[in-house]
Amino acid sequence: MKHIAVFASGRGSNLAAILTAIIRDRIPAKVECVISDQPSPGAFDIARQAGIPTYWAARSQFSAAEAYPRHLIQLMQNHHIDLIVLAGYLKLIPRQLVAAYPGMIMNIHPALLPNFCGKGYYGLKVHEAVIASGVKMTGVTVHFVDEHYDTGPIILQETVPVLSDDTPERLAARVLEVEHRIYPLVIKAFCEDRLVVEGRKVNWKS
Ligand code: GRF
């Protein structure tokens, strides 16, 4: 049984999908806490309904630079966390936390990495850029997290066609459906110790 921390900045629909899937798909995991850089995101409401502790932790709450990552690491240790799941979390994960949890932090990105990513590419901005570029395919990427935005080893990708009359909102909605389906698949595989990382490559064991 793995202990999961979910980091979320916004509404928390991926968190809700993960909580549903843990029961439905018998994922050997429990979401132990939800962390946000925002004081009251929608994700906290979803967590509270499920009886999961929530923590608002922002860099601005700490005067010393080292205190913020230390606080996050302490929270993770208090909850015996084995896996950190970023679900719509907009802040960069401090390198100290990445170093303390190597290969144990994952993120979902609403496009096909290595494109349409990096600082500033979040929410509808991603889908606006996808449509403006004229690409015919976008999709979802789940990847491990390193100390940069969106550059860690890719675990799973699924494509979503871009339609000629798409708006960013319509495209986002179709991409989100895929997010809700594939993030639980990846979390299940991790929790069953079926993901093997070799350099940049992530291999799935059956
Ligand atoms: C999702 O599109 C996710 O890919 C991105 O932020 C959005 C979060 O949505 N990183 P939600 O808060 O899970 O509803």
Side-chain angles (χ1 to χ4, degrees):
M1 163 81 106
K2 305 269 196 222
H3 303 274
I4 297 177
V6 175
F7 282 47
S9 301
R11 85 198 134 176
S13 71
N14 275 288
L15 169 64
I18 292 163
L19 291 171
T20 303
I22 284 176
I23 299 166
R24 184 194 60 209
D25 303 337
R26 296 196 185 89
I27 300 175
K30 182 163 182 259
V31 176
E32 299 286 348
C33 57
V34 174
I35 315 284
S36 186
D37 57 310
Q38 300 298 315
S40 57
F44 277 3
D45 299 330
I46 291 165
R48 288 192 194 109
Q49 278 165 27
I52 299 165
T54 60
Y55 300 95
W56 172 36
R59 168 74 185 83
S60 57
Q61 293 163 340
F62 303 88
S63 45
E66 291 301 303
Y68 168 59
R70 216 182 301 130
H71 175 69
L72 290 177
I73 291 169
Q74 188 65 58
L75 275 176
M76 298 301 98
Q77 290 173 347
N78 292 349
H79 287 281
H80 307 287
I81 294 305
D82 308 294
L83 171 64
I84 298 173
V85 170
L86 310 187
Y89 187 67
L90 297 182
K91 291 286 187 297
L92 193 64
I93 294 296
R95 62 184 163 71
Q96 297 91 333
L97 185 56
V98 176
Y101 288 83
M104 299 158 81
I105 309 178
M106 56 178 65
N107 181 44
I108 192 158
H109 186 72
L112 296 176
L113 296 181
N115 293 317
F116 306 106
C117 63
K119 194 169 166 52
Y121 278 97
Y122 61 88
L124 280 183
K125 290 182 201 295
V126 175
H127 306 293
E128 282 161 8
V130 164
I131 291 170
S133 78
V135 294
K136 304 296 183 204
M137 281 290 173
T138 183
V140 176
T141 303
V142 182
H143 63 97
F144 283 115
V145 169
D146 59 19
E147 56 276 19
H148 308 288
Y149 278 113
D150 303 325
T151 56
I154 291 171
I155 308 170
L156 184 63
Q157 291 186 300
E158 186 169 311
T159 55
V160 173
V162 181
L163 307 179
S164 56
D165 59 349
D166 256 338
T167 61
E169 291 79 7
R170 279 206 293 262
L171 183 56
R174 294 204 313 285
V175 168
L176 193 64
E177 278 179 34
V178 175
E179 292 183 42
H180 293 167
R181 182 158 47 73
I182 74 169
Y183 217 177
L185 293 179
V186 172
I187 292 168
K188 185 165 201 267
F190 181 96
C191 293
E192 293 174 351
D193 297 317
R194 287 191 287 113
L195 299 181
V196 181
V197 186
E198 285 167 19
R200 294 284 311 166
K201 293 202 181 140
V202 180
N203 296 315
W204 290 59
K205 290 193 293 182
S206 48

